[in-house]
Amino acid sequence: MHASSSIPELYDHVIDNGRLQFIEKLGEGAYGVVYRAVDLDSPTSSRNPDPKQYAVKVMLKAQPRTRHVRYQRGEIAAHRSVSAHPNILTLHKVIEDEPYIYLVMDYCPGGDMFRHITERKTYGGKTDLVKKVFVQILDAVQACHEQGLAHRDLKPDNILCMDESGSRVVLADFGLSTSSDRSSTFGCGSSYYTSPETIGTDFGYRPYDAKVADVWSLGVMLVNMIAGRNPWTSATMEDQCFLRSMTKPGYLQKMLPISDEAVTILQRIFTYDPKMRITLPKLREAILKVKTFFMTKEQLAKSHRFAQIAARSYFQKYYSFTEEDYKEMNALEQAEFGRRENLVEALVVENPTNHFRLVDRVGSPGMPSLTNSDSDSDAESIGPVTPARNAVGSETLVDVPLLKDGEDMGVPVVPTVAKKRRDRPFGSLVQFMERFAL
């Protein structure tokens, strides 16, 4: 049972000596519930009739001398250390009473990037907007890394939009972050976005650099923004979309309407060998040089039907294809996707000249499972966002002084966060193929 289920409804609940009043539940996770709150003391006028708003994350206080205490304090310390960055969600205040801890943060009226991708299709066909937003995300992650912090749960759910346009974003939720140079927590994050070394099964569960793993997650997010889909369900040898993406040059463009420029960048991100992965500064530089992230209509007309279908579902208006363009869809090679290929015990990594070479599969069966002493298989990313079940590391152990109820925030409020629970993210290529019986 999640601890958040033990938190009663707190509508109209007032904290901070009567200053903040809860008015709406925005979302909940494993250990917290997020409410929208209004500042009853904020001045109003005819020009600005509405009081200031915040997102307040409510957490049950962890029992003393437990691992959960370390998680709570680690999350707060991590968020505070980077909160001043313009592309990171501002944490204004941490207060406590019995039996709760309250994290007072900016409220984001634009919701999260997940919503903008899946419901509003905000970024489809808009290279300048994708570039503008993705660079903001890169800058936020770079700021974390410069503070010695790896986020470890990068995904659209954790990118919050300052307004309805989806053009100004901030990074949120530091519940899985770590300051360790080498992490030994495996399966940490959301499966669609975790790197092969983070999963650990094909790497012999060797300690990994979580900052480098963040770059992989950014690559999956870039695919989300360009194509509205996940490239695979899990970056392991058990996932046929992942295997084909690694072993078959051109596979991503076969399935998704991604430009040549974007594919070149993704090849530098999705390197099976973490040491060969592109750095954040180089990635930022490459993103700024892109002319288009999307296939042109002419390229798409000549592309594989799978890419055409994905384009139609994500931004039909941009391409203006008709149903007639897809009448041959069911005649495609269905058998190709109804069987698993006999792949060699190898995976592909990108070498410095951007060619592909096979490397021996690393790791071995029989290594320790996720439920080891450094992980909590029942824990979940908490706060404004709620991913699939994750292992949460116990590596960030920072003592954080909490403020008592009523202490002054000391910083101005800028409108901004929040999130509703999702059981699963938008479709992966596997789900996409199943839907169309490909």
Side-chain angles (χ1 to χ4, degrees), residues 10-24 26 35-44 49-56 104-105 107 409 413:
L10 295 175
Y11 297 107
D12 297 325
H13 183 65
V14 177
I15 62 171
D16 202 9
N17 283 340
R19 177 178 176 181
L20 295 176
Q21 182 178 28
F22 296 172
I23 60 175
E24 177 190 9
L26 296 171
Y35 282 87
R36 179 164 62 93
V38 294
D39 183 350
L40 300 178
D41 290 346
S42 63
T44 59
D50 298 323
K52 292 179 180 178
Q53 300 182 79
Y54 297 87
V56 181
V104 182
M105 303 173 288
Y107 167 63
M409 291 183 182
V413 181

Side-chain angles (χ1 to χ4, degrees), residues 16 34 63 79 88-90 111-112 138 144 154 159 172 188 220 244 257 263 321 352 362 364 392 396 416 420 428 430:
D16 202 9
V34 180
Q63 294 298 313
H79 197 164
I88 294 176
L89 181 68
T90 300
D112 58 62
L138 290 176
C144 293
L154 296 171
I159 305 299
C188 184
V220 180
R244 293 182 182 194
V263 166
F321 278 93
V362 297
S364 61
V392 180
T396 304
T416 335
K420 294 183 179 179
S428 65
V430 171

Side-chain angles (χ1 to χ4, degrees), residues 71-84:
Y71 296 156
Q72 282 188 345
R73 294 185 179 278
E75 175 182 359
I76 296 168
H79 197 164
R80 274 183 169 166
S81 70
V82 294
S83 178

Side-chain angles (χ1 to χ4, degrees), residues 13 38 57 136 201 226 346 365:
H13 183 65
V38 294
K57 179 175 177 179
Q136 291 177 60
T201 54
I226 298 172

